[in-house]
């Protein structure tokens, strides 16, 4: 049992890709006993935060548990899915979420991002407290101590470099694997849903209900034309918030990966990445945004570096995304 570990050091710093695959394969195999879904939720949260590490590959727990809370709020409250294999017992995280919802009388149809920001903050702190206790050590043990190291007295974990690089490179397939196994587990312990329906819920569990927040930030920063074709944008109905690197790959909303596009560019681009010339424009745009003194924008750019965006672009191509799209003029 490792769930109650207080400190875990990285066991091995030299690992081949084959060795890392073995660790993930064991993790997803039926041999790995899961009494609840925590480990899947934590892997999903790690993937979402691959671009939020600092130069020492440290990831702070607030960031990590913000993703974790969002995922579990949407699973437990929004979709009302049981997370444990026991019908008589709720997991610690479920208790926190359900109590929070009841005390504040929040309706089930609220997705996490619809909660007022102050409530999100409060809830993340509560989930973090339980998550630090039960989740961090468990995945550490299951992965034989190679994914990250941690010390619960500190407020961050540190990723193991070869595993970090591996996760960047294979993030798409790892996302699929995690979603699939999470859906299988949930299907087993929640009635009346088949795997396909469950998988759709799981795949969208990280998605926000709206990108209006980012629309407002980009508009307030003065973007008035389509990032791709230059057409003037007037009004929210005409402007779409576009994930420059498609959402299906990044699975997260980062301001530095978001642009405003006209409807026709957004629809025509779909799930593809744009030509490299647009990457250059986005790096330039981000340099300007990063110099903003507005707190909300500074928060979004806290871990941004242009190299991260370049890597993301590169890794999306490695993961099979086309990079040929450019607007019809
Ligand atoms: Zn356009």
């Amino acid at each position: 049992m490792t769930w109650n570990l207080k400190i875990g050091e990285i066991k091995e710093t030299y690992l081949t890709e084959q060795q890392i695959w073995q660790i993930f394969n064991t993790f997803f195999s039926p041999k790995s006993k899961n009494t609840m879904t925590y480990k899947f939720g934590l892997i999903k949260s790690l993937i979402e935060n691959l671009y939020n590490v600092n130069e020492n590959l440290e990831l702070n727990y607030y960031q990590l548990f913000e993703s974790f809370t969002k995922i579990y709020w949407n699973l437990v409250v929004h979709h009302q899915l049981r997370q444990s294999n026991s019908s008589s017992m709720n997991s610690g995280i479920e208790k926190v979420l359900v109590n929070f919802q009841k005390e504040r009388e929040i309706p089930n149809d609220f997705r996490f991002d619809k909660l007022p920001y102050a409530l999100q903050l409060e809830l993340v702190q509560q989930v973090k407290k339980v998550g630090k206790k039960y989740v961090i050590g468990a995945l550490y043990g299951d992965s034989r101590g190679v994914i990250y190291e941690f010390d619960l007295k500190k407020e961050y974990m540190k990723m193991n470099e070869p595993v970090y690089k591996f996760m960047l490179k294979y993030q798409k397939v790892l996302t699929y694997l995690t979603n699939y196994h999470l859906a299988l587990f949930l299907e087993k312990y929640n009635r009346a849903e088949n795997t396909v329906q469950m998988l759709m819920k799981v795949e969208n569990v990280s998605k926000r209900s709206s990108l209006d927040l980012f629309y407002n930030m980009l508009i307030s920063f003065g973007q008035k034309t389509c990032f791709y074709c230059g057409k003037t944008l007037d009004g929210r109905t005409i402007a779409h918030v576009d994930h420059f690197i498609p959402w299906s790959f990044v699975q997260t909303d980062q301001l530095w990966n978001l642009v405003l596009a006209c409807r026709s560019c957004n629809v025509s681009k779909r799930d593809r990445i744009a030509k490299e010339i647009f990457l250059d424009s986005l790096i330039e745009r981000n340099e300007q945004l990063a110099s903003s003194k507005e707190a909300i924008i500074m928060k979004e750019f806290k871990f941004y570096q242009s190299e991260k965006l370049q890597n993301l672009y590169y890794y999306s191509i490695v993961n099979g995304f086309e990079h040929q799209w450019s607007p019809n003029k």
Side-chain angles (χ1 to χ4, degrees):
M1 289 297 276
T2 57
W3 59 267
N4 56 356
L5 269 185
K6 304 254 180 316
I7 293 182
E9 286 170 352
I10 289 175
K11 297 277 188 236
E12 197 131 12
T13 49
Y14 178 81
L15 289 158
T16 63
E17 283 196 352
Q18 200 187 344
Q19 288 171 309
I20 302 173
W21 271 124
Q22 274 169 4
I23 291 156
F24 277 97
N25 282 333
T26 320
F27 172 71
F28 290 121
S29 88
K31 271 185 277 170
S32 168
K33 297 257 180 299
N34 295 305
T35 51
M36 43 194 93
T37 60
Y38 286 172
K39 290 167 204 163
F40 301 122
L42 186 57
I43 292 265
K44 269 178 89 61
S45 307
L46 280 173
I47 294 173
E48 272 190 27
N49 282 288
L50 287 174
Y51 296 90
N52 286 329
V53 300
N54 67 15
E55 61 280 9
N56 299 320
L57 303 187
E58 289 159 356
L59 174 62
N60 74 53
Y61 284 151
Y62 186 82
Q63 204 83 28
L64 180 70
F65 282 104
E66 195 178 29
S67 292
F68 193 84
T69 307
K70 173 189 70 186
I71 290 169
Y72 278 96
W73 176 273
N74 293 341
L75 286 172
V76 173
V77 176
H78 186 66
H79 291 307
Q80 302 196 297
L81 293 168
R82 300 189 50 82
Q83 302 299 311
S84 99
N85 65 357
S86 144
S87 55
S88 57
M89 205 184 73
N90 271 343
S91 65
I93 302 277
E94 283 175 287
K95 279 183 206 150
V96 169
L97 294 170
V98 171
N99 287 343
F100 193 88
Q101 182 203 9
K102 277 195 186 135
E103 277 167 20
R104 288 160 185 82
E105 297 173 358
I106 303 165
N108 286 338
D109 61 350
F110 267 50
R111 289 180 73 89
F112 181 71
D113 67 299
K114 252 183 116 180
L115 300 176
Y117 187 60
L119 284 189
Q120 291 184 21
L121 269 174
E122 204 184 321
L123 183 58
V124 174
Q125 296 296 357
Q126 290 187 20
V127 170
K128 178 159 81 75
K129 210 170 152 195
V130 180
K132 276 174 71 170
K133 204 167 165 191
Y134 297 110
V135 186
I136 304 275
L139 181 66
Y140 173 86
D142 266 27
S143 73
R144 292 177 238 150
V146 299
I147 298 186
Y148 49 76
E149 65 182 24
F150 70 96
D151 173 350
L152 288 185
K153 279 192 199 130
K154 293 180 185 159
E155 279 297 299
Y156 60 86
M157 59 163 64
K158 182 177 156 74
M159 301 282 297
N160 193 8
E161 195 176 356
V163 179
Y164 176 73
K165 287 187 172 156
F166 176 92
M167 289 180 76
L168 282 176
K169 188 169 167 189
Y170 296 108
Q171 63 179 285
K172 194 178 171 195
V173 65
L174 288 173
T175 302
Y176 282 157
L177 277 169
T178 313
N179 286 345
Y180 177 68
H181 287 280
L182 174 56
L184 281 187
F185 183 97
L186 291 174
E187 186 198 5
K188 218 166 165 182
Y189 301 106
N190 289 275
R191 295 221 178 101
E193 302 240 20
N194 64 36
T195 315
V196 176
Q197 287 168 327
M198 194 61 91
L199 197 51
M200 274 173 68
K201 284 185 179 170
V202 167
E203 277 175 354
N204 288 321
V205 86
S206 295
K207 245 187 189 158
R208 284 170 197 267
S209 55
S210 143
L211 291 169
D212 284 353
L213 173 76
F214 298 102
Y215 170 82
N216 293 335
M217 282 191 230
L218 291 170
I219 284 289
S220 77
F221 198 73
Q223 193 187 337
K224 291 187 179 68
T225 55
C226 170
F227 178 77
Y228 300 106
C229 73
K231 198 171 15 184
T232 307
L233 301 169
D234 42 1
R236 179 70 177 102
T237 48
I238 300 185
H240 287 220
V241 178
D242 176 66
H243 290 83
F244 179 77
I245 311 284
W247 191 87
S248 62
F249 184 60
V250 290
Q251 302 272 313
T252 171
D253 311 302
Q254 311 271 8
L255 184 61
W256 48 263
N257 186 43
L258 295 172
V259 296
L260 294 183
C262 70
R263 190 178 177 278
S264 82
C265 282
N266 189 252
V267 169
S268 124
K269 180 171 172 273
R270 297 194 313 266
D271 199 23
R272 291 181 286 182
I273 57 172
K275 283 196 167 152
E276 204 159 347
I277 183 172
F278 294 106
L279 173 66
D280 300 334
S281 327
L282 183 57
I283 289 173
E284 226 169 87
R285 195 275 326 245
N286 282 342
E287 261 168 41
Q288 292 168 5
L289 268 180
S291 65
S292 165
K293 295 279 175 283
E294 274 185 59
I296 187 161
I297 293 182
M298 283 168 76
K299 179 181 175 267
E300 288 289 321
F301 275 84
K302 200 168 166 198
F303 303 101
Y304 172 76
Q305 284 167 332
S306 58
E307 295 78 45
K308 284 188 182 171
L309 180 56
Q310 278 163 330
N311 283 339
L312 191 54
Y313 190 82
Y314 164 76
Y315 284 120
S316 66
I317 295 168
V318 173
N319 278 267
F321 282 83
E322 293 178 47
H323 59 298
Q324 298 303 323
W325 184 84
S326 62
N328 303 318
K329 284 211 176 174

